[in-house]
Amino acid sequence: MSKPEREEIERASQETINTVADKPTESQIVFPHGWRLCFVILGLMICLYLVNMEVTIVSTSLIAITSDLNGFNKTSWIITGFLITFTGRKFLSLSLSGSANRTAGFMSIWTRVSDIIGRKKTLLAAEVTFLAFSFGCGLSPSVNTLIICRSFQGIGGAGVYPLTLLCAYETVPKSKIPLLGGLFAIAIACAALTGPLIGGVLAQNSEWRWVFYVNLPPGAVAILMLLIAMPANHGSVPSKSIAYLKPSIALFKDLDLVGAVLLLSACLLPITVLNETNLSFEWASGTAIGLLVAGGVSWMAFFAWEWVIDGCPGYHPIFPKRLLFNRAWMGMLIITFASGCPWNVIVVYLAQRFQVLERLSPVDAGIRLIPYSALATVGTAGANLACLRGRIPFVYLILFGSLLQTVGMALFSIIPQTNSFPSAGYGYEVIAGAGIGVTIGICVLAVPYVVETRDLATATGTLNQCRFLGGAIGLAIAANIQYGNLKSELADTLSPEQLQQLLENSSTVETLPTQLQAAIGDVFAKSYTHQYQAMIAFAAVQIPASLLMLRRGGQYVVKEDETTDSDSGSDTTV
């Protein structure tokens, strides 16, 4: 071996030793204190609120957006363009009934970068990216431009969402996490409550672009708070120079870019099929079959790759195989994915139903969603309080929430297929909303109690990634059902030109004769029923998945007086 090679090996070994030596133990984590703690918590809550509001605030403004930009047939892409970038890394190109280059994001990559250069710098970079492309969305002159900006906005959101939760876990000692977890879960639920109302007000006044601009002022305040109050070495990892992100083989292995690209492919291809079938091609077409096969192969290749590299020197898989053997966490993963489907479908398509069938304004549609979103907030707060004060095990609450979701979705599916929404429907909103609030709240709270500390960043990113992936798939399924019904049921009723105009701009239905309006309304009502029926399966699968959290010798439960290394040691405050 030559002298330069020996020197390089010695240097690499020394860097590894220094990294281990520099990493703080739990008893040395720097916890903010006093006004710094208040600023950090408030800044993190604002970040979490804004990124979660991005789906709900658009729900009541979609009709206004697509009518202005002539893109009703791309309604699902406006939301999934944001959601899909939470599930991968880098993109190829995608046809959206035309050519539109898109970028897909990387929740797991952001959390891994935070392990390298520190939480604070990574979170601020993600928030700046999110805000920059929120501004770009507001400036979009066409629906394709909007979808592209939404994708890049999702890249920033993919970092903001898990990193705010990860920073929250490392802001206070473990015994105080339940209280902080309750605050953050409420912030998520409040985004669901206020988003449709804010979006409705802005859309009703023909100011839908402010749906995106509204992120800028509070986002800037959050950045300022975190810059001032958050310690540079916040969390359980040392803060290194950005120079450590210089492209290299070592960084390539560290970020697991191969796994990220495979994950993107596995997620994006089936969602593309669901969104574009019945619009750009048919189910029996070679394009649809080829994309589905490629997606299945990508999933197999992803898990095979992650299995092979786990334990190899220099590699840090984004899905360590040891997590596959953590039964409780796998149950939470399935529940989080499955709950994302009905949650997003109800928020988006129930708001659409109010506007399309009952001709309500965006504001009125947002008000009609309050029973659903408000009870989600109440369910989240109640579940966290039950864990904190009542010491009720996580598994029982998640099982209860899953049952409520299933009952709620089943009730939605029996709503009469008419233009009017029955009074009982608001009761169904209450049941389904309470159920999903409980499950989301507990899944957010339980992560640090069911995984090892070394897996906290990966588990947090993956769990939340699955929630947004579930939302993207749920919306894609709902869109496919709706477009399929419109094309098949109205083919003999409308001319090809009228049908195309309807798919591009739903408001054109008001220009048609009354008889045609009634026929179109019947098809829309039928498609909503079919959407709810499809969502029953996603709600029901959470019931057996919750049983995976059962364990012998006592269930996972919050213990406020629980003593851990981080609590009993010499906690550092600033």
Side-chain angles (χ1 to χ4, degrees):
M1 182 183 297
S2 65
K3 183 177 179 180
E5 290 175 336
R6 287 197 302 270
E7 290 177 349
E8 177 64 22
I9 293 175
E10 290 174 1
R11 184 188 64 80
S13 301
Q14 188 60 43
E15 284 184 357
T16 301
I17 294 171
N18 291 340
T19 298
V20 175
D22 291 341
K23 185 172 183 176
T25 63
E26 289 188 341
S27 62
Q28 296 172 329
I29 293 178
V30 178
F31 294 125
H33 184 67
W35 69 269
R36 288 180 180 271
L37 176 62
C38 293
F39 269 42
V40 169
I41 292 176
L42 185 56
L44 292 175
M45 289 183 69
I46 292 173
C47 291
L48 193 62
Y49 172 83
L50 293 178
V51 77
N52 276 276
M53 191 174 64
E54 270 310 297
V55 172
T56 58
I57 196 173
V58 171
S59 64
T60 49
S61 55
L62 278 173
I63 297 295
I65 294 172
T66 55
S67 295
D68 187 31
L69 301 179
N70 292 322
F72 181 71
N73 58 344
K74 297 177 184 176
T75 294
S76 179
W77 276 119
I78 294 174
I79 299 181
T80 56
F82 177 80
L83 294 178
I84 193 62
T85 51
F86 280 70
T87 59
R89 170 64 179 92
K90 181 181 176 186
F91 185 69
L92 328 172
S93 83
L94 173 67
S95 172
L96 298 175
S97 301
S99 296
N101 294 326
R102 294 164 46 81
T103 305
F106 40 97
M107 189 176 282
S108 296
I109 297 298
W110 280 110
T111 54
R112 184 62 200 134
V113 168
S114 77
D115 282 342
I116 298 174
I117 65 172
R119 309 289 191 227
K120 181 176 181 178
K121 283 181 282 193
T122 311
L123 174 59
L124 292 176
E127 181 68 11
V128 168
T129 303
F130 173 75
L131 295 178
F133 284 98
S134 294
F135 185 66
C137 289
L139 295 175
S140 298
S142 67
V143 69
N144 277 348
T145 304
L146 175 60
I147 292 170
I148 293 170
C149 287
R150 286 281 284 173
S151 299
F152 281 98
Q153 185 192 31
I155 290 177
V160 173
Y161 190 95
L163 287 172
T164 50
L165 295 178
L166 188 56
C167 288
Y169 295 147
E170 298 173 333
T171 296
V172 295
K174 191 173 182 180
S175 61
K176 303 299 188 294
I177 286 179
L179 179 60
L180 191 59
L183 292 175
F184 279 73
I186 290 173
I188 294 173
C190 283
L193 174 62
T194 59
L197 295 175
I198 296 173
V201 169
L202 296 173
Q204 185 162 311
N205 295 320
S206 301
E207 297 292 345
W208 66 261
R209 295 182 187 276
W210 275 95
V211 167
F212 304 106
Y213 294 150
V214 75
N215 292 324
L216 303 180
V221 171
I223 289 175
L224 184 61
M225 285 181 168
L226 296 175
L227 274 173
I228 294 172
M230 181 176 281
N233 58 338
H234 182 88
S236 59
V237 296
S239 179
K240 299 178 183 177
S241 168
I242 297 179
Y244 277 82
L245 297 180
K246 182 179 179 180
S248 65
I249 297 297
L251 181 66
F252 181 86
K253 294 180 178 179
D254 203 14
L255 296 181
D256 187 16
L257 297 185
V258 171
V261 171
L262 289 173
L263 179 60
L264 165 70
S265 175
C267 297
L268 186 59
L269 293 176
I271 289 176
T272 301
V273 174
L274 290 169
N275 270 330
E276 293 299 307
T277 301
N278 295 323
L279 288 175
S280 301
F281 44 78
E282 301 300 324
W283 279 109
S285 68
T287 302
I289 295 173
L291 289 174
L292 288 174
V293 171
V297 171
S298 296
W299 276 116
M300 291 187 287
F302 169 72
F303 284 110
W305 171 260
E306 297 299 297
W307 189 277
V308 168
I309 67 171
D310 199 349
C312 292
Y315 282 99
H316 291 85
I318 59 178
F319 195 94
K321 63 183 179 184
R322 61 179 172 271
L323 289 178
L324 288 172
F325 300 100
N326 186 330
R327 196 158 49 88
W329 185 80
M330 288 300 298
M332 289 170 57
L333 197 68
I334 297 171
I335 292 166
T336 302
F337 170 83
S339 65
C341 295
W343 168 253
N344 286 279
V345 168
I346 292 296
V347 167
V348 172
Y349 283 96
L350 189 55
Q352 185 191 94
R353 178 191 177 115
F354 289 138
Q355 294 178 74
V356 171
L357 295 186
E358 301 196 39
R359 307 293 173 83
L360 296 178
S361 67
V363 173
D364 288 335
I367 292 173
R368 301 289 184 95
L369 281 175
I370 286 179
Y372 184 68
S373 52
L375 263 293
T377 305
V378 172
T380 296
N384 279 271
L385 187 61
C387 284
L388 181 60
R389 300 301 180 191
R391 304 293 188 269
I392 299 178
F394 300 136
V395 61
Y396 301 147
L397 289 169
I398 288 183
L399 181 59
F400 176 67
S402 302
L403 288 169
L404 283 181
Q405 280 188 67
T406 305
V407 172
M409 294 311 305
L411 292 172
F412 268 118
S413 69
I414 63 172
I415 290 176
Q417 296 179 17
T418 62
N419 287 353
S420 61
F421 190 74
S423 299
Y426 302 109
Y428 305 160
E429 287 187 50
V430 168
I431 295 172
I436 202 157
V438 170
T439 53
I440 289 177
I442 297 302
C443 285
V444 169
L445 174 63
V447 175
Y449 293 91
V450 299
V451 301
E452 300 176 37
T453 301
R454 61 174 174 165
D455 290 327
L456 186 58
T458 300
T460 301
T462 304
L463 196 72
N464 293 300
Q465 186 169 300
C466 271
R467 179 188 164 202
F468 286 97
L469 174 60
I473 289 180
L475 288 171
I477 291 173
N480 185 270
I481 290 172
Q482 185 174 79
Y483 299 147
N485 284 345
L486 290 174
K487 289 188 69 175
S488 61
E489 299 286 338
L490 297 176
D492 297 329
T493 305
L494 301 178
S495 67
E497 293 77 15
Q498 289 175 324
L499 182 57
Q500 184 60 35
Q501 289 176 357
L502 176 63
L503 291 176
E504 291 180 355
N505 189 338
S506 63
S507 64
T508 58
V509 69
E510 299 177 8
T511 66
L512 299 173
T514 304
Q515 185 177 1
L516 289 181
Q517 291 185 29
I520 294 171
D522 290 341
V523 176
F524 269 103
K526 182 178 179 180
S527 70
Y528 296 134
T529 297
H530 291 169
Q531 290 170 345
Y532 302 147
Q533 291 170 344
M535 292 303 107
I536 294 174
F538 288 98
V541 78
Q542 297 173 55
I543 297 174
S546 65
L547 300 180
L548 292 174
M549 295 187 69
L550 290 171
R551 65 173 182 175
R552 295 179 180 178
Q555 306 305 323
Y556 293 102
V557 63
V558 169
K559 295 181 181 179
E560 193 175 21
D561 59 349
E562 179 180 307
T563 301
T564 65
D565 291 340
S566 60
D567 318 312
S568 59
S570 55
D571 293 343
T572 304
T573 59
V574 295

